[in-house]
Amino acid sequence: MRNSFTSIMLFLLFTSTVLNLSAQEIGVVRTALGKADHPALGEISGIVASRTYPGKYWVHNDSGDTGRVFLIDSVAKMSCEFHLEGIDARDVEDIAWVRENGKNYILLADIGDNLAKREEIKLYYFEEPLMEAGVTKDTIASKAIRTIVLNYPDKARDAEAIFVDPMDQRFYLISKRDFYSTLYSADIFKSKKDRYILRKEMEFPFTFVTAADISEHGDAIIVKNLTQVFYWDRKTKGSIINSLRSPFQKVSYTVEPQGEAIAFDHSPFTFVTISERPFGLDAYLYQYKYTKP
């Protein structure tokens, strides 16, 4: 295990050095918006901007938590907790936003698999819930949740990053622990089946991807690993695959302790990050404003 860990760290160091030399860096203005100090928010692994409540964000914990999502405000304070009825979550690692038939939906990704032993991974899809006045805990009924089962085309693997292209509704997943993090896809919103086999699309020149997102209009993509954030400017008529195969730009990013979540915000040229609270360290909601390349 130690040798494996050492190899991973050496590889991360190597790729970090190579990428630092080869990629243009985008400057940012970073602001700490607030501290995530609610007791329930101990292992935040995913974040997405709410479309129903502008200025608020949906977050979730990873392995060890139940099936639930939290709505936090612009300074990381808890607004409401929603329990997913009948969902036995194993390792939820990311969250995405989907617009379908004029309504806002959330896609919750139960895709974590540190030991690469899961026979299948799952997505939970439901309409963005509404808060009731004075209610801080609520339930999303099981009948309102669509469960989507995914299988890799070859073998099990760990993953922590998803996004859905708002232009054609295609679903994308990025693996974490492969030597080169790999992009997979599936058309989960066209046939409405319960099970899909992911299609391998491409490999990235880096590893340990922990989060990803696409902008509201589909014109930009960000991918985050343990130490860096990568940015692609996506042309409106270009495919996701062609865009991600083109040269990326690095975003000036300050490493967070166990930072595993990233999402575009509603404001132009803005994204947010948030982290877990390892070893009792504080976790903050950070806002990054960047200059469009």
Side-chain angles (χ1 to χ4, degrees):
M1 181 64 72
R2 178 178 297 178
N3 289 338
S4 176
F5 178 79
T6 301
S7 297
I8 291 171
M9 291 301 102
L10 288 173
F11 179 70
L12 283 171
L13 179 61
F14 169 75
T15 53
S16 175
T17 301
V18 171
L19 295 174
N20 279 331
L21 290 173
S22 61
Q24 178 183 348
E25 187 166 286
I26 301 172
V28 302
V29 175
R30 178 180 185 251
T31 304
L33 300 180
K35 183 165 66 173
D37 54 6
H38 191 283
L41 304 176
E43 295 193 24
I44 296 176
S45 184
I47 185 170
V48 70
S50 171
R51 266 60 184 181
T52 303
Y53 301 103
K56 294 182 184 288
Y57 307 90
W58 292 101
V59 299
H60 61 84
N61 294 318
D62 57 16
S63 60
D65 200 5
T66 58
R68 56 180 177 169
V69 293
F70 309 94
L71 187 64
I72 63 173
D73 65 16
S74 60
V75 292
K77 301 304 179 186
M78 178 79 77
S79 294
C80 194
E81 170 188 333
F82 288 87
H83 173 70
L84 277 62
E85 182 182 36
I87 297 301
D88 182 20
R90 292 182 59 179
D91 192 357
V92 177
E93 290 290 355
D94 205 3
I95 187 171
W97 164 81
V98 181
R99 182 79 171 171
E100 186 177 23
N101 298 323
K103 297 180 179 180
N104 299 317
Y105 287 82
I106 288 174
L107 188 65
L108 196 63
D110 189 356
I111 58 175
D113 189 8
N114 291 347
L115 301 179
K117 290 186 176 181
R118 294 179 65 172
E119 294 183 1
E120 58 190 25
I121 52 179
K122 295 181 179 180
L123 307 173
Y124 308 117
Y125 184 62
F126 50 92
E127 190 173 348
E128 187 171 351
L130 301 176
M131 293 189 298
E132 294 186 19
V135 176
T136 58
K137 289 188 178 183
D138 208 340
T139 299
I140 301 170
S142 58
K143 63 182 180 181
I145 304 169
R146 176 190 172 197
T147 298
I148 304 164
V149 180
L150 301 175
N151 294 98
Y152 291 97
D154 46 9
K155 62 180 182 179
R157 62 193 71 239
D158 190 27
E160 295 187 1
I162 67 164
F163 64 91
V164 177
D165 185 356
M167 296 182 67
D168 64 5
Q169 302 295 87
R170 189 165 182 86
F171 167 80
Y172 293 90
L173 174 150
I174 304 174
S175 69
K176 179 181 180 181
R177 297 175 190 273
D178 291 329
F179 196 72
Y180 295 109
S181 286
T182 302
L183 181 73
Y184 295 86
S185 74
D187 271 329
I188 65 175
F189 297 110
K190 289 187 177 180
S191 61
K192 303 295 184 181
K193 297 186 298 184
D194 294 329
R195 183 181 296 271
Y196 297 82
I197 296 177
L198 292 164
R199 185 173 78 186
K200 182 177 178 179
E201 300 287 2
M202 59 170 285
E203 294 179 343
F204 294 94
F206 46 79
T207 187
F208 261 66
V209 167
T210 63
D213 198 20
I214 188 168
S215 61
E216 188 170 358
H217 301 293
D219 58 353
I221 304 165
I222 46 176
V223 175
K224 180 189 180 305
N225 69 4
L226 292 176
T227 60
Q228 299 179 93
V229 172
F230 310 97
Y231 174 96
W232 289 262
D233 189 20
R234 188 258 188 110
K235 305 301 181 185
T236 54
K237 294 184 179 180
S239 71
I240 291 289
I241 308 305
N242 287 340
S243 296
L244 292 177
R245 282 178 175 157
S246 66
F248 58 77
Q249 292 178 291
K250 277 188 65 225
V251 179
S252 181
Y253 168 70
T254 302
V255 176
E256 301 162 79
Q258 202 71 17
E260 295 187 356
I262 195 168
F264 281 105
D265 210 342
H266 289 293
S267 301
F269 317 136
T270 307
F271 65 87
V272 293
T273 67
I274 198 166
S275 68
E276 297 187 9
R277 297 203 303 254
F279 313 113
L281 298 173
D282 291 331
Y284 288 87
L285 175 65
Y286 290 104
Q287 180 190 74
Y288 286 77
K289 287 188 173 293
Y290 63 93
T291 302
K292 187 175 176 64

